[in-house]
């Protein structure tokens, strides 16, 4: 039975990872302002070097945050945690192995520091937890660098190059007057708007690449963890129809037999790969499941009830269509309410 505080920890985890991604996106967009449309190649190379260094730093934060989460989450779910990957354990020679222990309080301190949270003491902080040996995966930093470069070039720099080339071609088709430059089109508001849009695309890519290491670490570590029986998706605070649909299905287990169908009869994936699909701006996380007794988070349970109510009498593509309408309607209502709240605050100021 999961301990009290697991649902809160899951919420804190996606929020902590989302902050890392959002900061990377903001810094990437700020650096995009240095791009010189008159010399995209040179300024683009400088921008890419700067952003890649920033993404590497963010990936380190994402990894450290994922480690702290994993150790505390496993302890709360199973009563056992795993050794920290950056703290080697030294076993004295000629002495019998003694199980290492830590406390829930120490694990919570580690998590709060990583997630930049105010630590509130808990009644069971002094409870000891056995630390099991664990072979943490080594993340392929070079592969992540390559993925980051491809992603940010394809979404940002390649688009900028195309926009500049199209602008120059438009200028060449016109008859220039003696007092105009062949690059006058680069000051056109529509061109600048398109260039800014390319910057936002690159920022979304940086967001995704910044938290890749945390996602990959939890994914690969949980596949090695003998106590893990399955996986579930935890959504962010404003999930799209696709993410909320995945979360509504609860856990996907290692066993293909137990993962045969969903509650509405739709086929459920027989492995966690389907859970790990992320779109731009997505801050969902896939977390391990340690028990078959209760494979629904409170959020997943709510979404499962909504799915049954909304899609009753439908199936397949029709179910997904009405679900999409339902979720998008909820998102529009939330944004309208937030806009109204901000407007009211502005009027009262």
């Amino acid at each position: 039975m999961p301990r009290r505080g697991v649902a809160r920890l899951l919420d804190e985890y996606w929020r902590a990872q989302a902050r890392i991604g959002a900061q990377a996106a903001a810094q990437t967009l700020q650096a995009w302002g240095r791009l010189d449309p008159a010399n995209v190649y040179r300024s683009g190379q400088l921008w890419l070097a700067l952003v890649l260094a920033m993404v590497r730093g963010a990936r380190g934060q994402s990894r450290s945050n994922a480690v702290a989460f994993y150790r505390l989450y496993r302890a709360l779910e199973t009563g056992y945690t795993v050794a920290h990957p950056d703290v080697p354990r030294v076993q004295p020679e000629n002495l019998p192995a003694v199980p290492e222990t830590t406390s829930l309080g120490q694990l919570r301190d580690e998590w709060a520091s990583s997630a930049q949270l105010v630590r509130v003491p808990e009644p069971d902080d002094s409870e000891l937890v056995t630390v099991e040996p664990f072979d943490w995966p080594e993340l392929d930093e070079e592969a992540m660098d390559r993925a980051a470069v491809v992603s940010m070039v394809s979404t940002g720099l390649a688009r900028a190059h195309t926009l500049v080339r199209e602008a120059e071609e438009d200028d060449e088709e016109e008859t220039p007057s003696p007092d105009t430059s062949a690059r006058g089109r680069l000051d056109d508001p529509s061109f600048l708007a398109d260039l800014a849009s390319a910057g936002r695309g690159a920022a979304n890519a940086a967001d995704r690449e910044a938290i890749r290491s945390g996602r990959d670490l939890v994914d690969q570590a949980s596949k090695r963890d003998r106590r893990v029986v399955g996986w579930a998706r935890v959504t962010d605070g404003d999930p799209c129809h696709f993410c909320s649909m995945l979360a509504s299905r609860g856990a996907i287990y290692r066993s293909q037999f137990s993962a045969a169908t969903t509650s509405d009869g739709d086929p459920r994936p027989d492995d966690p790969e389907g859970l790990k699909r992320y779109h731009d701006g997505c801050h969902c996380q896939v977390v391990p499941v340690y028990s078959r007794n209760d494979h629904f988070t409170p959020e997943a349970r709510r979404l499962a009830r909504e799915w049954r109510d909304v899609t009753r009498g439908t199936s397949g593509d029709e179910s997904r269509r009405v679900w999409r309408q339902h979720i998008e309607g909820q998102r529009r209502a939330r944004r309208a309410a937030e806009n109204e709240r901000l407007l009211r605050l502005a009027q009262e100021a």
Side-chain angles (χ1 to χ4, degrees):
M1 183 70 179
R3 291 175 181 264
R4 177 176 57 86
V6 168
R8 184 184 67 205
L9 175 61
L10 293 174
D11 185 69
E12 291 172 348
Y13 178 53
W14 78 254
R15 290 182 186 278
Q17 291 287 329
R19 282 194 296 271
I20 294 170
Q23 289 169 359
Q27 291 171 352
T28 299
L29 198 56
Q30 182 180 31
W32 187 257
R34 303 182 183 183
L35 197 72
D36 180 6
N39 191 349
V40 174
Y41 180 80
R42 174 62 178 166
S43 61
Q45 291 297 310
L46 294 174
W47 171 85
L48 185 60
L50 175 65
V51 171
L52 183 58
M54 179 272 299
V55 166
R56 285 170 177 160
R59 283 204 314 249
Q61 296 174 29
S62 177
R63 175 189 178 277
S64 297
N65 181 258
V67 167
F69 162 77
Y70 197 97
R71 280 164 44 84
L72 175 57
Y73 177 62
R74 192 179 192 270
L76 293 175
E77 287 283 82
T78 69
Y80 297 86
T81 189
V82 290
H84 197 288
D86 300 329
V87 182
R89 181 181 179 185
V90 179
Q91 176 65 39
E93 295 182 3
N94 303 322
L95 290 178
V98 177
E100 183 182 352
T101 60
T102 186
S103 68
L104 284 177
Q106 288 174 311
L107 293 173
R108 287 175 175 138
D109 286 342
E110 178 186 325
W111 166 246
S113 175
S114 172
Q116 300 179 6
L117 298 172
V118 175
R119 170 78 158 88
V120 178
E122 299 283 354
D124 58 352
D125 276 347
S126 61
E127 183 175 324
L128 295 181
V129 177
T130 299
V131 180
E132 296 181 326
F134 191 65
D135 182 20
W136 286 90
E138 289 290 335
L139 299 182
D140 191 338
E141 296 289 341
E142 291 185 1
M144 286 191 287
D145 276 353
R146 290 193 297 270
V149 169
V150 169
S151 185
M152 288 184 289
V153 167
S154 62
T155 57
L157 287 183
R159 178 60 178 154
H161 279 287
T162 299
L163 290 169
V164 170
R165 185 179 66 253
E166 291 174 347
E168 291 174 343
E169 290 173 354
D170 288 346
D171 285 340
E172 290 173 359
E173 292 175 1
E174 300 175 357
T175 303
S177 60
D179 58 344
T180 59
S181 166
R183 293 183 178 272
R185 174 71 169 71
L186 300 185
D187 292 331
D188 186 88
S190 62
F191 167 80
L192 295 176
D194 288 341
L195 192 63
S197 177
R200 289 192 294 272
N204 283 333
D207 181 338
R208 183 174 59 252
E209 295 303 326
I211 61 178
R212 177 190 291 270
S213 61
R215 282 171 168 165
D216 285 359
L217 186 77
V218 170
D219 171 48
Q220 295 178 33
S222 62
K223 288 177 180 176
R224 299 182 178 193
D225 193 339
R226 62 185 178 82
R227 294 186 182 273
V228 171
V229 299
W231 295 266
R233 189 176 179 107
V234 177
T235 69
D236 59 25
D238 188 30
C240 70
H241 65 284
F242 175 75
C243 296
S244 57
M245 179 183 70
L246 290 179
S248 75
R249 295 178 175 180
I252 291 175
Y253 294 113
R254 291 185 188 272
S255 166
Q256 295 184 15
F257 175 78
S258 61
T261 60
T262 61
S263 58
D264 68 333
D266 280 351
R268 187 199 297 273
D270 59 10
D271 61 55
E273 296 306 311
L275 291 181
K276 298 185 296 181
R277 294 172 58 187
Y278 307 110
H279 55 80
D280 282 347
C282 175
H283 292 121
C284 295
Q285 299 292 331
V286 175
V287 298
V289 172
Y290 291 96
S291 171
R292 295 176 185 268
N293 294 331
D294 185 7
H295 59 269
F296 281 89
T297 64
E299 178 206 36
R301 191 174 293 108
R302 174 184 62 79
L303 289 171
R305 287 195 300 267
E306 286 188 31
W307 175 273
R308 288 193 297 269
D309 292 342
V310 170
T311 64
R312 184 175 288 114
T314 66
S315 63
D317 289 342
E318 179 66 11
S319 294
R320 287 182 279 275
R321 185 185 67 79
V322 298
W323 179 252
R324 180 171 186 162
Q325 292 176 339
H326 169 70
I327 294 298
E328 290 183 350
Q330 287 186 334
R331 299 179 83 190
R332 285 194 297 269
R334 282 196 296 269
R335 288 167 184 169
E338 177 63 11
N339 289 339
E340 183 178 346
R341 184 185 70 85
L342 293 175
L343 180 61
R344 186 168 58 252
L345 288 175
Q347 291 172 341
E348 294 173 355

